[in-house]
Amino acid sequence: MKTRLLILTLILTCAFSYSQTKLADKFFEDFAYLKAIELYQKAYDKGDDSAHVLTRLGDAYYNNSNSEKAAYWYGEALNKYKKIDAEYLYKYIQSLRSIGSFDEADKWFKELSALHKGDSRLKGYNPDETDIYDKLTSSKDVVVNIENVPFNSTNADFGGFVYNNTLYFASARDDSKKVYNWNKEPFLDLFQISLIEDSKAISYDSNPIKIESDAVNTDYHEASVVITNDGKTIYFTRDNITRRNKLAYDKEGTTHLKLYKASLIDNKWSDIVELPFNDKVYSTGHPALSADNKTLYFVSDREGGLGQTDIYAVSIKDNGTYGEPENLGEKINTEGREMFPFVSKDNTLYFSSDGYLNLGLLDIFKSDILKGDRSEDPINIGAPFNSGYDDFAFYINSDTQIGYFSSNRPGGKGSDDIYSFNTIECKQEIKGFARDSKTNIILTGVTVQLLDETGKIIEEVITKDGGEYNFLVDCDKIYNLIGNKPDYKVDKKDVKTDLDNKKINELDLNLEPLIIDNQIVINPIFFDFNKSNIRTDASYELENIVDVLRKHPNMIIKIESHTDSRGRDRYNMKLSDRRAKSTRDYLISRGIEANRIESAIGFGESQLLNQCSNNTDCSEEEHQLNRRSYFYIVNE
């Protein structure tokens, strides 16, 4: 007998735990994390330590920004179960790092790396940030308008430097020139085009022409321009050529790049000078100037570098001579390629690299190293500037946030194309009022939560006298709003912002009151035909009763239960009574004292809500309408 009782107890415990978990799942899916935590915890206390319960507890705390509890439950899951989805490992690492457990996070990162090598987010793991790869392709809080410029040719066009409303760039569009064997396109020349730039867009008032100098462009490559602030000196890259205008080769038969400068004399570039730190056995090119023009930056594959090509700096002295080139070091340079430096007016260094986490080939990065900050690594500026192809030659006007970059991404006109861009900070407002859905009265004291697309709570406000709430959010995102107030049902709204900057999304939250006159009013508690057990949907509704009784500790209620007309009248009277008591027992199981439920009585089919009396042909839905419960307030 004891064995049978033990087995029966285990069966009942498992059934209760399963029901509890299903109910918790429903609240979790509705973003009601605190209620879900309570129910998952209750299931866990009853012996359900399944991976589902443990990870859901972790997720509920994680989404509610409680990193300490999230780490605890993810840790419980990971320690108990070896085969856990990479998503939970990733969140566990995030939670550990959030609470400062860096060593433990590193340990699990190594575990994750061994088990899930293909998880793209882990490629960017570093001591400061684990989700950088996600951010490279995610929406930003700015709108970036990108345009393939109208003057691109079917050959290579790249680079871009603006001075005095003129854009300078390199192009292989001159079909009369010799063909470069590498890509079977003409050699590059330097071109210029007049432009009209305002705060919102760029337009062009002419066609490109070769740079106004016969001495700058030769029969071979010229590219990568930068001009001094006073407009009197231009630096550019050129193939190494002889005095007879022939290509010069090293012992391996390779032609290297060199840096040159020219002076503006009578409105033309002339007096071409080769810079003294060039060499015949390595390349020097891609010039850039510091904001104060006292330092020249360039790219070289010279000996002593850290990778295939590195970025160097050389001081420009007052007498026009140069100091010794210095490698920018491992905070910028890698074992890969660093190329195309550019320094903006605010002294931000931009460059392209394939040596850092990237979306493919060369990506554009930025660094504050020139501002004296050597603590942070370069930042990948992400999509849409970067793609799975080569993205390089970045230029930006720090004042207008308008600029150019180059790319060989699909959809262009030639092998390399120039793209213009302008960036606009994109923010929208979500605002509205919290109201009583029955009376339309403004409600104060409503907790309004803003959740992101994954269900994580990112902001929370409480409505005051005016009943108004508002959130400032990013464009092109999906958000969820949840309004919650004691003695009211939760109201939920979904919002999808678009790319319309400064748009206002007006959305009222209408909370349905739970207490109306002398009743606690919830959606009908339905029962399956001929059964009295509490279904999951019924449990979900009964939690509203639990919340009201907890809020009002002196409240006493009575429960009335009703059946449909199918079956004998006497049987239905007994069935409804079992349902009323089953409802009462559920409330008691949730911690409500038994003496707060004055009575739980069944009325059978004596008070039908429709015409479905004995021997009447009705649908299941019509019969179900009569299977219901009421909750009357006896004492407050």
Side-chain angles (χ1 to χ4, degrees), residues 216-227:
V216 170
N217 287 317
T218 65
D219 291 337
Y220 303 101
H221 285 312
E222 284 82 28
S224 302
V225 167
V226 65
I227 298 175

Side-chain angles (χ1 to χ4, degrees), residues 255-401:
T255 297
H256 295 280
L257 301 176
K258 288 187 174 183
L259 277 178
Y260 296 81
K261 71 173 183 177
S263 300
L264 188 66
I265 301 173
D266 296 331
N267 292 321
K268 284 192 176 183
W269 296 113
S270 56
D271 192 18
I272 308 297
V273 176
E274 178 184 336
L275 299 192
F277 41 83
N278 291 321
D279 197 281
K280 294 179 181 180
V281 296
Y282 51 74
S283 287
T284 305
H286 303 174
L289 285 167
S290 61
D292 61 7
N293 284 188
K294 293 182 178 181
T295 305
L296 178 70
Y297 300 93
F298 62 89
V299 174
S300 179
D301 59 357
R302 63 187 58 208
E303 289 185 3
L306 300 177
Q308 298 175 50
T309 56
D310 286 3
I311 299 175
Y312 290 79
V314 62
S315 62
I316 303 174
K317 299 180 180 180
D318 292 340
N319 61 5
T321 61
Y322 301 89
E324 289 296 320
E326 295 182 4
N327 191 297
L328 287 190
E330 60 184 10
K331 270 298 180 181
I332 297 296
N333 295 314
T334 69
E335 294 181 2
R337 297 177 298 162
E338 279 67 54
M339 307 174 73
F340 296 97
F342 166 73
V343 181
S344 63
K345 291 180 182 178
D346 64 2
N347 230 26
T348 301
L349 172 65
Y350 295 88
F351 62 96
S352 290
S353 174
D354 63 5
Y356 294 94
L357 174 70
N358 59 70
L359 294 175
L361 305 178
L362 289 173
D363 272 11
I364 301 166
F365 292 79
K366 69 176 182 179
S367 168
D368 287 335
I369 191 171
L370 304 185
K371 301 175 184 179
D373 184 359
R374 302 191 64 86
S375 61
E376 298 294 333
D377 290 330
I379 297 171
N380 187 311
I381 66 174
F385 301 104
N386 292 319
S387 65
Y389 298 82
D390 284 323
D391 305 290
F392 57 100
F394 186 87
Y395 166 89
I396 188 171
N397 183 323
S398 302
D399 298 328
T400 64
Q401 293 298 299

Side-chain angles (χ1 to χ4, degrees), residues 6 156 164 173-175 184 195 241 252 309 317 322-323 561:
L6 177 61
N164 196 24
R173 66 185 61 214
D174 189 351
D175 293 333
K184 301 303 180 184
L195 58 84
I241 58 175
E252 279 75 37
T309 56
K317 299 180 180 180
Y322 301 89
S561 183

Side-chain angles (χ1 to χ4, degrees), residues 163 227-234 262-265 269:
Y163 182 83
I227 298 175
T228 55
N229 294 337
D230 60 11
K232 295 180 179 180
T233 304
I234 186 172
S263 300
L264 188 66
I265 301 173
W269 296 113

Side-chain angles (χ1 to χ4, degrees), residues 36-52:
I37 287 168
E38 179 187 346
L39 294 168
Y40 285 129
Q41 181 72 59
K42 195 172 183 69
Y44 176 80
D45 292 340
K46 290 289 184 179
D48 187 351
D49 60 351
S50 63
H52 177 76

Side-chain angles (χ1 to χ4, degrees), residues 79-327:
N79 286 321
K80 185 174 180 61
Y81 300 98
K82 291 185 177 180
K83 292 185 178 180
I84 291 289
D85 191 276
E87 182 72 14
Y88 301 117
L89 280 168
Y90 173 70
K91 291 179 182 177
Y92 185 42
I93 292 168
Q94 290 280 65
S95 300
L96 288 170
R97 297 191 59 73
S98 177
I99 62 176
S101 299
F102 300 111
D103 292 340
E104 186 72 2
D106 289 340
K107 184 189 82 172
W108 282 100
F109 169 66
K110 292 173 184 176
E111 180 87 3
L112 183 53
S113 298
L115 296 175
H116 304 279
K117 294 181 180 178
D119 192 325
S120 63
R121 290 170 299 189
L122 299 174
K123 294 179 182 178
Y125 183 87
N126 62 63
D128 302 306
E129 194 170 32
T130 59
D131 60 350
I132 185 173
Y133 190 83
D134 282 342
K135 294 181 179 180
L136 301 187
T137 54
S138 64
S139 298
K140 305 295 192 299
D141 57 359
V142 296
V143 173
V144 182
N145 298 313
I146 289 178
E147 178 188 4
N148 185 294
V149 297
F151 54 84
N152 280 317
S153 70
T154 56
N155 292 329
D157 302 280
F158 66 87
F161 183 85
V162 177
Y163 182 83
N164 196 24
N165 294 323
T166 300
L167 173 68
Y168 297 85
F169 64 97
S171 178
R173 66 185 61 214
D174 189 351
D175 293 333
S176 66
K177 292 191 69 173
K178 298 177 182 179
V179 174
Y180 183 43
N181 288 332
W182 190 351
N183 58 9
K184 301 303 180 184
E185 289 187 1
F187 282 85
L188 296 163
D189 274 337
L190 295 175
F191 284 75
Q192 63 186 57
I193 185 171
S194 299
L195 58 84
I196 302 170
E197 180 181 310
D198 59 34
S199 61
K200 295 183 178 180
I202 305 171
S203 58
Y204 311 92
D205 64 359
S206 65
N207 293 320
I209 60 173
K210 281 190 178 182
I211 197 169
E212 295 176 348
S213 170
D214 295 332
V216 170
N217 287 317
T218 65
D219 291 337
Y220 303 101
H221 285 312
E222 284 82 28
S224 302
V225 167
V226 65
I227 298 175
T228 55
N229 294 337
D230 60 11
K232 295 180 179 180
T233 304
I234 186 172
Y235 292 90
F236 61 95
T237 307
R238 174 187 282 174
D239 275 334
N240 182 15
I241 58 175
T242 66
R243 293 180 180 178
R244 297 182 179 181
N245 200 29
K246 299 290 183 182
L247 287 176
Y249 301 94
D250 63 14
K251 293 180 180 179
E252 279 75 37
T254 301
T255 297
H256 295 280
L257 301 176
K258 288 187 174 183
L259 277 178
Y260 296 81
K261 71 173 183 177
S263 300
L264 188 66
I265 301 173
D266 296 331
N267 292 321
K268 284 192 176 183
W269 296 113
S270 56
D271 192 18
I272 308 297
V273 176
E274 178 184 336
L275 299 192
F277 41 83
N278 291 321
D279 197 281
K280 294 179 181 180
V281 296
Y282 51 74
S283 287
T284 305
H286 303 174
L289 285 167
S290 61
D292 61 7
N293 284 188
K294 293 182 178 181
T295 305
L296 178 70
Y297 300 93
F298 62 89
V299 174
S300 179
D301 59 357
R302 63 187 58 208
E303 289 185 3
L306 300 177
Q308 298 175 50
T309 56
D310 286 3
I311 299 175
Y312 290 79
V314 62
S315 62
I316 303 174
K317 299 180 180 180
D318 292 340
N319 61 5
T321 61
Y322 301 89
E324 289 296 320
E326 295 182 4
N327 191 297

